[in-house]
Amino acid sequence: MRRRWGIIVFISRLSMFEGIYFQFPKLAFILFFFLACASLCPLRSNPIYFPNLPFFNRDETKPSLWMWVAKWLMISMLIVALMSPVREIPQEGRGYDILITLDPRSITPQNIEQVRTFIQQRPEDRIALYVPYESPLMIPLSRDHDRITSMVEQLESSEVSGKITREIERFFATSEKGMGWVLIVSENPKEWVRSLPIGIDITTIDPESDWADETDRDHLPFMVMNSRKYFEYFYIYPLFIGFLAMLAYLFGRNQKGLL
């Protein structure tokens, strides 16, 4: 029973390395330079003459097997670390990244209700909010729709507003290509918009209309599926093993009096 349990534990530990591959496998060729140097470039030192030469033929001065293993383990692990072992972790995401920009002069109870309805219809999307008051209100992209809705419900109308510039591109710094969407809610968008980002869908909305359902149909929820890949790096493990092997090798040379 213990033997079977040990085999199961061993297999489970091996599964930890499943899916790992090297980003730079061609760097394994570096090992051949070390092998060539070891065979063609032997270590040379100035000869020292003593009258008791048989002393140097004893086993104590011969290279130890464990030192040879430590040296090549150190070199091998360094090369493995340089080859960068990684594992891909795919993550699926869905929905759009939507920035709702509200003209402070167009904020009304009806308009706030439309924004709240629109947010509720987009459960899988990331939503951001931008209201260019005299001190702009900026809420970054988030799936915490309750927090954004609570902020929208506290908005108040103002006659003083800024201009929309390309600074709103910062909202889409983490967005996938084709996933960005800007809603501009304003009675006079041409007077309010100074510059718009490039490559992002723009929709201008009349705040007096019932725009939530109509705009929702322009970009259907759940329509866009995208797959993102993240990398988990494992170079630290061979680097640590190589460091321990280096310490063992240096310790052995010091014990032999070779340092």
Side-chain angles (χ1 to χ4, degrees), residues 1 9 24 67 179 233:
M1 184 66 182
V9 172
F24 313 106
M67 286 183 58
M179 299 287 288
Y233 292 87

Side-chain angles (χ1 to χ4, degrees), residues 8-21 86-89 232-234 237:
I8 294 174
V9 172
F10 178 73
I11 294 175
S12 64
R13 290 182 178 180
L14 287 179
S15 64
M16 294 172 56
F17 302 98
E18 184 178 358
I20 296 178
Y21 67 96
V86 298
R87 178 165 54 199
E88 288 185 6
I89 304 177
E232 184 180 4
Y233 292 87
F234 293 89
Y237 299 105

Side-chain angles (χ1 to χ4, degrees), residues 96-102 111-120 122-131 137-155 171 183:
Y96 292 91
D97 291 339
I98 304 174
L99 171 61
I100 301 176
T101 58
L102 296 174
N111 198 19
I112 290 177
E113 180 63 24
Q114 290 292 312
V115 174
R116 190 167 65 87
T117 301
F118 177 79
I119 293 175
Q120 291 176 348
R122 317 291 301 198
E124 297 296 329
D125 295 335
R126 293 197 300 174
I127 306 291
L129 181 64
Y130 175 47
V131 184
L137 171 65
M138 297 184 178
I139 301 178
L141 289 167
S142 172
R143 286 191 170 88
D144 187 359
H145 294 176
D146 292 337
R147 181 173 67 92
I148 298 175
T149 301
S150 65
M151 293 294 297
V152 170
E153 293 174 348
Q154 300 175 32
L155 296 177
F171 285 95
L183 302 182

Side-chain angles (χ1 to χ4, degrees), residues 37-61:
C37 185
S39 60
L40 301 177
C41 309
L43 183 64
R44 296 181 180 180
S45 60
N46 295 326
I48 302 177
Y49 295 97
F50 290 93
N52 192 9
L53 292 180
F55 172 79
F56 291 94
N57 293 325
R58 295 180 182 177
D59 294 339
E60 286 81 356
T61 60

Side-chain angles (χ1 to χ4, degrees), residues 4-251:
R4 182 180 302 176
W5 177 252
I7 294 175
I8 294 174
V9 172
F10 178 73
I11 294 175
S12 64
R13 290 182 178 180
L14 287 179
S15 64
M16 294 172 56
F17 302 98
E18 184 178 358
I20 296 178
Y21 67 96
F22 295 104
Q23 283 187 312
F24 313 106
K26 293 183 179 179
L27 290 180
F29 188 76
I30 298 176
L31 180 62
F32 292 100
F33 288 99
F34 284 96
L35 294 173
C37 185
S39 60
L40 301 177
C41 309
L43 183 64
R44 296 181 180 180
S45 60
N46 295 326
I48 302 177
Y49 295 97
F50 290 93
N52 192 9
L53 292 180
F55 172 79
F56 291 94
N57 293 325
R58 295 180 182 177
D59 294 339
E60 286 81 356
T61 60
K62 294 181 180 179
S64 301
L65 176 62
W66 69 268
M67 286 183 58
W68 182 88
V69 172
K71 179 181 73 172
W72 286 106
L73 181 63
M74 171 184 64
I75 295 173
S76 301
M77 290 296 102
L78 174 62
I79 296 173
V80 170
L82 289 175
M83 292 165 63
S84 185
V86 298
R87 178 165 54 199
E88 288 185 6
I89 304 177
Q91 293 187 359
E92 289 189 351
R94 64 171 67 188
Y96 292 91
D97 291 339
I98 304 174
L99 171 61
I100 301 176
T101 58
L102 296 174
D103 188 339
R105 297 167 294 186
S106 302
I107 296 177
T108 62
Q110 177 187 354
N111 198 19
I112 290 177
E113 180 63 24
Q114 290 292 312
V115 174
R116 190 167 65 87
T117 301
F118 177 79
I119 293 175
Q120 291 176 348
Q121 294 172 342
R122 317 291 301 198
E124 297 296 329
D125 295 335
R126 293 197 300 174
I127 306 291
L129 181 64
Y130 175 47
V131 184
Y133 288 119
E134 190 173 1
S135 297
L137 171 65
M138 297 184 178
I139 301 178
L141 289 167
S142 172
R143 286 191 170 88
D144 187 359
H145 294 176
D146 292 337
R147 181 173 67 92
I148 298 175
T149 301
S150 65
M151 293 294 297
V152 170
E153 293 174 348
Q154 300 175 32
L155 296 177
E156 297 180 354
S157 178
S158 173
E159 294 300 323
V160 180
S161 65
K163 299 285 187 180
I164 294 182
T165 63
R166 289 188 62 178
E167 68 177 359
I168 64 177
E169 288 183 348
R170 73 180 71 175
F171 285 95
F172 302 99
T174 60
S175 299
E176 295 290 330
K177 185 177 181 180
M179 299 287 288
W181 184 21
V182 178
L183 302 182
I184 301 176
V185 184
S186 176
E187 293 180 353
N188 302 300
K190 291 183 179 180
E191 297 179 2
W192 191 45
V193 176
R194 179 177 296 170
S195 179
L196 291 173
I198 299 173
I200 298 176
D201 290 344
I202 309 292
T203 301
T204 57
I205 296 171
D206 181 6
E208 300 298 327
S209 64
D210 295 333
W211 55 268
D213 292 332
E214 181 180 352
T215 306
D216 188 65
R217 288 192 295 270
D218 292 340
H219 294 70
L220 295 177
F222 316 115
M223 186 179 69
V224 177
M225 293 290 296
N226 65 303
S227 178
R228 303 174 184 177
K229 291 182 179 180
Y230 296 88
F231 292 98
E232 184 180 4
Y233 292 87
F234 293 89
Y235 64 87
I236 189 65
Y237 299 105
L239 202 60
F240 179 69
I241 295 174
F243 176 72
L244 295 180
M246 181 188 70
L247 293 180
Y249 179 68
L250 293 177
F251 175 77

